[in-house]
Structure formats: structure tokens, C-alpha cells
Amino acid sequence: MSVDTEEQSRSTSRDEALAELERDWGERPSLRGWFSTVDHKRIGRRYMVTAGIFFILAGTDAMILRTQLARPNATLLSPEMYDQLFTMHGTAMIFLFSTPMFFGFGNFLVPLLIGARDMAFPRLNAFGYWVFVCAGTVMFTSQLVGRAPDGGWFGYVPLTDTPYSTGVNLDVYSLGLLFLGVSTTAGAINFIVTVVKMRAPGMSLNRMPLFVWAIVGTSFMVIFALPALNLANAMLFLDRRFGAHFFDPGHGGSTLLWQHLFWIFGHPDVYIIVMPALGIVSAVLPAFCRRGVVAYPLMVLAIVTISIISFGVWVHHMFATGLPQLSYSFFSAASTLITIPSGIQIFAWLFTMLRGRIVVRTPFLFVVGFIVTFVLGGFTGVMFAITAFDQQVTDSYFVVAHFHYVLFGGAVFPMLAGIYFWLPKFTGRMYAERLSRWAFWLVFLGFNTTFMPMHVSGLLGMPRRIYTYPGGLGWDIWNLISTVGAYILAVGLLLVLIGVVHAVRRGAPAPDDPWQGDTLEWGTTSPPRPYNFAPVPQVHSLHPMWDERTTGALAIDEPLPDHRAMTTSELDGREEGVIEMPEASLLPLAVAAGILVVVLGLLWAWYWTGWYWFAGAGALLIFGAVARWLWPPERTPEEAGVAS
Amino acid sequence: MPTQTRRAGGFLLWFAVLGGALAWTVHLFVAWGVDELTCRAGNTSVGGVPVRGIVGAGVAVPALVTIAALLLAWRGWRRATAAKRDDDSPRMERTGMLLLIGLCADVLFLAIILAGGAAVLVLSPCQ
Ligand code: HEM
Ligand SMILES: [Cu+2]
């Protein structure tokens, strides 16, 4: 009898506490609420949807390119249009799709995976998203009006500098990427602080999921690599608009400088794109192999060493620039040996499959598709290390084939695996298995039909970045096959989209843990409540959801209401304190809008020289909004909690 | 015992884990920078010391530092695994994992330094 009432009062107090949590963390369902939200899950989803839209746009560009190239002497596109299309396709796929898509995954998942209530800086997070949307919109709008960048995605000077590139096109490139860099940097800092300070109690470094390791490694790479790109673009803009001569050898500048700066960023960027994808693979496999990824410390080793070594190999993109042989050797050694950590990961996954009990579902199929394509891409990559071969195929379609195997295989396949895998968490709905298998097979077949023939046309001498070609060189048939493949691929990707929309609209409601996953996100509802976890989980192992102690505690503990979050120690995840989390706010949007005004002002000033004042107005807006943002809150220390 | 644990988390631990990476970074920039800059300037020596000597030192010193980090990581890892047997605190687990990672990383970085440096014996610096 007394036990019964005790039980009853406990459950009512729990319900009350939950309602209070809901009030503390929930959002107003108004338009204002929509624009001011700082919830990491919403921001994560928005990142993914927006990056998805940019993928569709950049993919449409690719389809137009492929259509033009299907037959010799085609006239669908003018050479100028072709330049803009391939440049926007490459630039958007790299900057507006891959990285933001992974930031979406990271934003949604990292706090859930480490058992936190939000990111460390929720407003910075919202800010990063708004900046990304604005930058992407500016860049794609330039394409609509025929003023898109046209110097290739790596924008080599002197081609992209005055006097060789007139028009505003390359200003869109330099300013657009600078703009975007703000977003990426903010996001990276946020990930690092979140993971370092907000892991659930007990999650020491050796219990951190591999996906989280991958996001941290990626964020460090972003922070060290992006300044080089930003610097290069700022210099290019100064050269083009204000008569500076950074890249002009005629006035003591250097064209090689662009290549150094660009590739100091550019090589790590390949890993910035691929690393989170590898993290997704390591997250998906355990659920479908029913065991953890083997050799956890070696996997972490691979992530850490790749993040470091990728910074010491940029000169391998410059082997044709005439540096002394001896200097090359330092870069070749690192370039060759970086394959060891990559290989470790591949073998660890294969062993995980060998020693696990495999359940074949769509996410698993995409992982297998990834391994196949990525290994093929790595294989042709090793072929480039043979200098004589490299000289033969440089700037041919062989290269286009190679980097799509790496980028599409290494980023898009894992992404699709991740989308199907976490769809229940993202949306609270299950996808339809049959439809998704069709999608997989069409994507896989379409992909290989598109890019495999490019190896051949490349070996037959077809250069990249040509808008058309004469018939009878032996290239016709291979190009036709490529184009047919591209359409098959597009149908497959369309099925993915239909599958996602279908799931959101009428998918079966998802259980909390449909795959018996091992990490904390499966320990909360699908989709998670605004506060993520009612009782903050206590972690005891690397696979908390396979660990009785965690799952038990998640079910019974009293929730801790309040709009606060816990901080823990960097290495061992010991409890340290409690911080007040910021409320939803329109300020992040306002600052992003200010930057947008600055960028537009600088761009328009190309047509109307007086328009620099407009950029100045934007700067004022930024200044005002930032000042308001940083203004100390008018609250008593008790109200503000420990944070003050 | 407390001093033992504190030291396990201190400077030496991080040197054992990241020393190889640091040494390789220094090696890369010194060896490449010196070679590149002196050759570009048309010289074969810097302040009277031949380029090859300086580049050679830029290989040898970082290699030795990496070996030191490697030995430290090895010793620490053995201790951590031994200590884990009678004290399975998360902290010991974490130290053990970090040192294992450091051990492998130091081997990898040593290999990179030596592989790149081997060319110093074969090629003349400004070829
Ligand atoms: C949707 C399927 C895709 C198709 C059909 C496709 C097709 C193409 C084609 C035909 C080119 C060569 C243009 C030329 O050199 O004439 C190209 C270039 C390129 N693609 Fe893709 N692509 C696809 C997806 C992707 C993805 C997912 C990425 C990256 C994540 C990507 C990154 C690039 C890059 C960086 C270039 C080089 C642009 C340049 O030369 O400046 N592509 N693509
Ligand atoms: Cu590279």
C-alpha cells in the first residue's frame, strides 16, 4: 500500500518535472519562434535540408554539363556558360553541400551522442546557419543572372585576377567563400567546445563515439585550414578591386602564392569532407553488425593522425611547379604514408563485418557501396603517385573520374547511409525499405555507369573542362554512356528524395531505438524532445545503450528541470558545473543579415562605384547587433545561476 | 600514488602522445623551408654551413625527438596496462588508450620523417 503511493507520487513528480522541462526548452510555435530558434536539432535539420537543396541545384548543373557532353559538337551551352556551370557545380558541391551537410549531421547528432542538452553556443550555431543560407543564396543567384564564378573551383591566378578575368564573376567567388568561411569557422569552434566541455558524466575520451571523434578532428582541420583560404580570397579581392598586387608577378607578387595558400586549405579540405563520412560509417556499422567497430584505439589513431598529416602534403598538388627534388621528397613521404591510417579504417570495418552478425538493411547497403567506390577511388589515387602516369593523365577526365569516386563515394554514399539510418531520429518516422533498396541500386549502378567510362575517355586523351569535342576521337561512345549513367543516377537520387518525403508524410511512427544501436541518441525519444534527455545520462562504457547500467538509469532517474546544462572535465568527463543556456533570439539572424548587406554592397559596387556606402551600412548593422548580443543581461546573479 | 596519476596526465603524457606529430611538423617546415629558400636564392650554404648539413640536421633531430616520444609512450603504456589490472578507473583506461594511440602515432611519424629524409642521402639539395 505505502509502496504503491510512493510509486504514484514519484511518477506524478516525474510528470511535473517533465512538463517543466518542456516549458523551459520548448519553443513558441510562431513565425518569430521559427526565425529565432537556437535548438541544435532544428538547426541541424535546416542545415541538412538547405545543403540538400544546394545539392539538387549543383546536381542540376552537372546534368546540364553531361547533357551537353553526350554527343560531339553539341550546342546546348556556350563556352562561357559551360565555364560557369562546371565552376559552380564544383564550388557548390564542395563548399555549399558536403561540409554544410555534415555540419547538419553534426549539429543534430553530436549533443545527442554525448548526452548533452544543446550545443555549447546555441546562438552562434543559429548564426552559422543563417550565414550559410545567405552565402549560398548569393552564389546561386549569381548563376541565375549569368554572373557565376567561372575560373574553376580552385580559382587559379592569374586567370582569375585582373586583367584576365573581367566582370563580377570572380568577386562572387572570393566574397562568397569569405562569407561562407564565417559560418564554417563558427560551427567548428562550437563543435570543439561542445565535445570538450559538455559530454555526459562518465564519458571519458576513450568512451567517445567514433562519429564524435570524426567531427572533432574535422573541426580542428577547419580551424587550421580555412584561414589560408580566407586569406587567399581576401588578397584576390584586394587585387581585383583595390589594385593590390599580391598575385601579380609584374609588380613583385607571386602566382605560386595562390597555389600554396589554396592547397594548404585544399588538401585538408578533402579530409574535411571525407572524415565525417567515415564517422558516419563507424556509427552505422555497429547497429547492423551487432558489435562495436573493432580496434577502437586504432580508429581514433587514424582520425587524429589524418587530421595532422593532411596539413603536410599540400605540395603534392604542385609537383609541376619546379621546386627542388629534395623538397618534394618530404611531401611524397607524407602523402604515401597517409594511406596507412586510411587503410586501418577500411580493414577495421571489414573485420567488424566479418566478426559481426550482419543484418542487411538499406543503410548497410550504402555503407558497402561506399567501401567499394571509395577503395576504387583510392586505387586510382595511388596510380597518380607514379609520376610518369600522373604526367599522362593530369587534367584529363581520368582525374574527374578519380575525384568523383573519392568525393561521391567517400561523402555521398555515407551521407545516404546516415540519412536512412537516422531518419527515425530526425523525423520520428520510418522509411519504406523496398523503395529505399531501389534507390540504392539505381544510385550505385548509375554512379558507376557515369564515372567508370570517364577513366577510359581520360586515358583516350579527353581533357577536363572542355565544353565540347569533335566526333571520331573514340570519345563519343564513352561520353554517351556517362550521360545515360548520369540520368540513371539522377533517378536514383530522386527516389531517395521521394523516400524521405514519403517517410515524413506517411512513414510508420518510429520506435525510440529501431536498430538496437549502441550510442546515446537511441536512448531518447524519436524525434527527441527539445531538452534531449530528461535525466542526464551517466555513461559507463563505449557502448552505453548496450550497457545495462546506462539504460537502467535512463529509465528511472529524476529529471533535472531548468534551462541549464552540465559541464564536465575535458579528459575524463567528471562533473564540473552547471551553466545557464541562452534563450532563443533574433540577433544571430540580424548579424547574418548585416554581413549579407556588406557582401551585396561590395558586389554591387562593381557596377555602381558609389555603392560602398551600402556595405558601410551593413557594417553598422553588424556592429549594432553584435553590441546588443554581447550586452550583459539585466539579471540578478541568482537568476543567472552560476554562469555570471 | 596520487603523484603517479598526476604525472600520467601531465606534460610527459602529452609529449608521448603528440611528440611525433610535433617533431614531424617542425621537420617538414625546417627542411622544406631551408631547402626551398636557399636554392631559390641561388646559394648552396647558409652562413657557411652547407644546405645538405642543415637539412640533414632537420631530419635527424626531429627523428631523435620522435624516438624519445616513442620510448616514453611505450613505457607509459606498459605501466598503464599493468595498473589497469588492479585499478580499473576510467582515468587509467583513458591514459592507456591515449598512450597506445601515441605509440602508434610516433611510429608512423618516425616512418614519415625517415622516408622523406632518406632522399637527403641520395639527392643533392637544389637538383
Ligand atoms: C550528381 C552526380 C554528379 C555528376 C553527374 C557530376 C558530373 C561532373 C562533371 C561532368 C564534371 C566535369 C566538368 C568538366 O570538367 O568539364 C564535374 C566536375 C566536378 N565535380 Fe561533379 N558530378 C556529380 C557529383 C559531384 C559531387 C557529389 C561532388 C563533390 C562532393 C562533385 C565535385 C566536382 C568537382 C570539384 C568538379 C570539378 C570542377 C572544376 O573542374 O572546377 N561532383 N562533375
Ligand atoms: Cu591532396
Side-chain angles (χ1 to χ4, degrees):
Chain A
M1 171 79 182
S2 81
V3 177
D4 243 27
T5 35
E6 202 174 288
E7 190 81 350
Q8 215 162 16
S9 76
R10 234 176 108 158
S11 82
T12 40
S13 83
R14 189 182 147 85
D15 288 349
E16 272 164 24
L18 282 180
E20 198 176 323
L21 262 180
E22 196 81 39
R23 240 174 297 128
D24 285 339
W25 291 85
E27 297 160 10
R28 278 168 295 175
S30 61
L31 199 62
R32 189 196 159 98
W34 198 88
F35 279 109
S36 62
T37 183
V38 294
D39 177 27
H40 74 98
K41 296 177 288 297
R42 278 215 178 188
I43 296 174
R45 276 197 300 254
R46 281 181 196 175
Y47 258 112
M48 285 189 269
V49 171
T50 315
I53 293 172
F54 290 152
F55 176 74
I56 294 174
L57 294 176
T60 311
D61 286 348
M63 295 312 292
I64 302 173
L65 296 174
R66 272 319 325 163
T67 312
Q68 160 79 4
L69 292 171
R71 310 292 306 145
N73 302 314
T75 51
L76 178 68
L77 293 172
S78 67
E80 293 76 31
M81 281 306 296
Y82 194 91
D83 288 350
Q84 293 190 20
L85 279 173
F86 80 69
T87 302
M88 265 315 278
H89 164 72
T91 311
M93 284 295 189
I94 300 272
F95 294 102
L96 299 174
F97 159 67
S98 312
T99 309
M101 182 62 98
F102 285 128
F103 270 41
F105 275 96
N107 262 309
F108 191 98
L109 292 166
V110 163
L112 290 169
L113 280 163
I114 64 175
R117 293 218 152 134
D118 204 329
M119 298 284 283
F121 306 116
R123 287 186 177 179
L124 188 68
N125 210 17
F127 167 71
Y129 170 73
W130 293 118
V131 168
F132 157 61
V133 185
C134 296
T137 312
V138 168
M139 293 185 79
F140 270 110
T141 311
S142 77
Q143 198 186 342
L144 285 184
V145 296
R147 292 286 181 278
D150 52 3
W153 84 280
F154 41 62
Y156 276 180
V157 298
L159 189 66
T160 51
D161 206 343
T162 46
Y164 303 104
S165 165
T166 53
V168 77
N169 310 50
L170 259 301
D171 295 325
V172 173
Y173 177 89
S174 60
L175 283 182
L177 293 189
L178 271 174
F179 194 4
L180 194 66
V182 175
S183 153
T184 320
T185 309
I189 292 172
N190 211 347
F191 281 130
I192 292 175
V193 178
T194 306
V195 172
V196 168
K197 289 309 293 180
M198 316 254 307
R199 301 196 305 272
M203 187 177 277
S204 46
L205 279 189
N206 53 319
R207 293 172 183 171
M208 230 164 75
L210 286 167
F211 179 76
V212 177
W213 273 106
I215 290 286
V216 175
T218 308
S219 300
F220 272 107
M221 284 194 283
V222 164
I223 285 182
F224 284 101
L226 218 51
L229 180 74
N230 291 341
L231 187 65
N233 276 312
M235 288 155 91
L236 181 62
F237 189 71
L238 291 177
D239 260 21
R240 292 173 52 82
R241 284 291 187 79
F242 298 101
H245 301 290
F246 290 110
F247 303 119
D248 175 8
H251 290 83
S254 158
T255 45
L256 264 192
L257 181 61
W258 173 271
Q259 291 200 27
H260 276 302
L261 287 175
F262 189 88
W263 289 117
I264 284 176
F265 153 80
H267 187 84
D269 193 53
V270 175
Y271 289 95
I272 289 173
I273 292 172
V274 171
M275 179 93 77
L278 306 184
I280 290 184
V281 173
S282 294
V284 172
L285 270 187
F288 298 98
C289 295
R290 301 282 182 263
R291 62 159 298 140
V293 171
V294 300
Y296 174 81
L298 287 184
M299 294 298 276
V300 177
L301 168 85
I303 292 169
V304 173
T305 50
I306 287 175
S307 313
I308 296 170
I309 302 175
S310 65
F311 281 91
V313 300
W314 79 94
V315 169
H316 70 209
H317 295 268
M318 301 168 63
F319 277 169
T321 51
L323 306 180
Q325 293 289 329
L326 185 57
S327 326
Y328 284 158
S329 73
F330 305 127
F331 293 93
S332 313
S335 307
T336 318
L337 289 173
I338 202 173
T339 52
I340 293 177
S342 317
I344 287 177
Q345 303 211 39
I346 302 270
F347 281 111
W349 292 320
L350 292 178
F351 273 109
T352 308
M353 291 189 207
L354 270 180
R355 301 188 41 191
R357 282 180 292 121
I358 294 178
V359 182
V360 180
R361 299 291 300 266
T362 309
F364 182 78
L365 286 178
F366 275 104
V367 165
V368 176
F370 150 77
I371 293 180
V372 172
T373 39
F374 192 64
V375 168
L376 279 173
F379 203 70
T380 47
V382 175
M383 290 163 79
F384 291 130
I386 307 162
T387 327
F389 183 80
D390 184 79
Q391 302 283 333
Q392 287 299 312
V393 296
T394 283
D395 276 338
S396 77
Y397 257 74
F398 195 87
V399 174
V400 179
H402 157 72
F403 68 68
H404 280 91
Y405 267 84
V406 174
L407 288 176
F408 199 109
V412 180
F413 276 95
M415 247 173 225
L416 295 175
I419 286 175
Y420 284 110
F421 182 59
W422 280 301
L423 200 67
K425 266 305 147 204
F426 295 154
T427 66
R429 305 286 180 153
M430 298 301 292
Y431 64 85
E433 186 71 31
R434 255 171 67 93
L435 181 65
S436 62
R437 293 208 179 193
W438 270 99
F440 167 75
W441 285 109
L442 282 175
V443 168
F444 188 74
L445 273 172
F447 172 83
N448 283 292
T449 320
T450 312
F451 294 104
M452 192 67 86
M454 289 189 189
H455 291 112
V456 185
S457 50
L459 287 176
L460 292 175
M462 178 166 164
R464 69 191 280 199
R465 298 174 173 170
I466 47 165
Y467 86 105
T468 191
Y469 52 92
L473 292 174
W475 305 347
D476 312 18
I477 179 69
W478 303 110
N479 274 297
L480 187 61
I481 298 176
S482 269
T483 303
V484 172
Y487 278 93
I488 299 176
L489 176 57
V491 173
L493 291 169
L494 197 67
L495 283 192
V496 173
L497 184 66
I498 293 174
V500 171
V501 174
H502 175 266
V504 173
R505 286 283 171 78
R506 28 188 82 116
D512 291 352
D513 182 9
W515 316 118
Q516 278 81 56
D518 61 332
T519 35
L520 282 174
E521 81 273 30
W522 304 111
T524 181
T525 51
S526 299
R529 307 303 311 157
Y531 47 81
N532 289 353
F533 298 91
V536 170
Q538 176 81 39
V539 175
H540 304 278
S541 73
L542 180 55
H543 307 289
M545 291 308 292
W546 292 345
D547 185 341
E548 291 291 331
R549 284 173 297 178
T550 317
T551 42
L554 274 173
I556 48 172
D557 264 25
E558 293 292 320
L560 166 118
D562 239 346
H563 197 239
R564 295 188 185 177
M566 189 185 285
T567 56
T568 49
S569 68
E570 299 81 7
L571 299 177
D572 292 318
R574 270 175 291 109
E575 290 183 43
E576 274 185 346
V578 179
I579 47 166
E580 177 80 0
M581 298 301 278
E583 305 289 332
S585 161
L586 286 173
L587 287 168
L589 179 58
V591 181
I595 307 184
L596 175 66
V597 174
V598 172
V599 169
L600 289 179
L602 290 176
L603 283 178
W604 288 335
W606 190 81
Y607 296 102
W608 310 294
T609 7
W611 274 61
Y612 286 112
W613 70 266
F614 193 72
L620 276 182
L621 177 55
I622 298 176
F623 182 81
V626 169
R628 183 69 196 86
W629 186 333
L630 297 179
W631 212 260
E634 302 100 25
R635 270 181 303 180
T636 60
E638 297 86 70
E639 275 178 319
V642 237
S644 62
Chain B
M1 213 48 194
T3 49
Q4 185 81 28
T5 358
R6 198 168 315 132
R7 202 184 303 139
F11 170 77
L12 281 184
L13 170 77
W14 289 110
F15 176 67
V17 176
L18 293 172
L22 202 72
W24 168 68
T25 311
V26 172
H27 148 77
L28 180 74
F29 283 93
V30 168
W32 170 64
V34 168
D35 190 45
E36 183 64 24
L37 291 176
T38 33
C39 294
R40 185 65 37 107
N43 300 333
T44 49
S45 64
V46 187
V49 188
V51 180
R52 172 175 286 195
I54 298 182
V55 174
V59 173
V61 175
L64 290 176
V65 172
T66 310
I67 291 173
L70 183 61
L71 292 177
L72 259 178
W74 168 246
R75 206 187 58 167
W77 179 63
R78 295 250 321 254
R79 285 200 185 161
T81 34
K84 220 159 53 181
R85 247 168 264 138
D86 36 54
D87 163 25
D88 63 356
S89 73
R91 166 172 293 201
M92 262 309 159
E93 267 177 51
R94 187 259 299 165
T95 308
M97 185 196 75
L98 283 177
L99 285 167
L100 176 59
I101 291 171
L103 190 66
C104 301
D106 290 336
V107 172
L108 185 64
F109 286 113
L110 184 63
I112 296 179
I113 295 173
L114 294 180
V120 180
L121 301 174
V122 190
L123 297 169
S124 73
C126 296
Q127 194 174 332

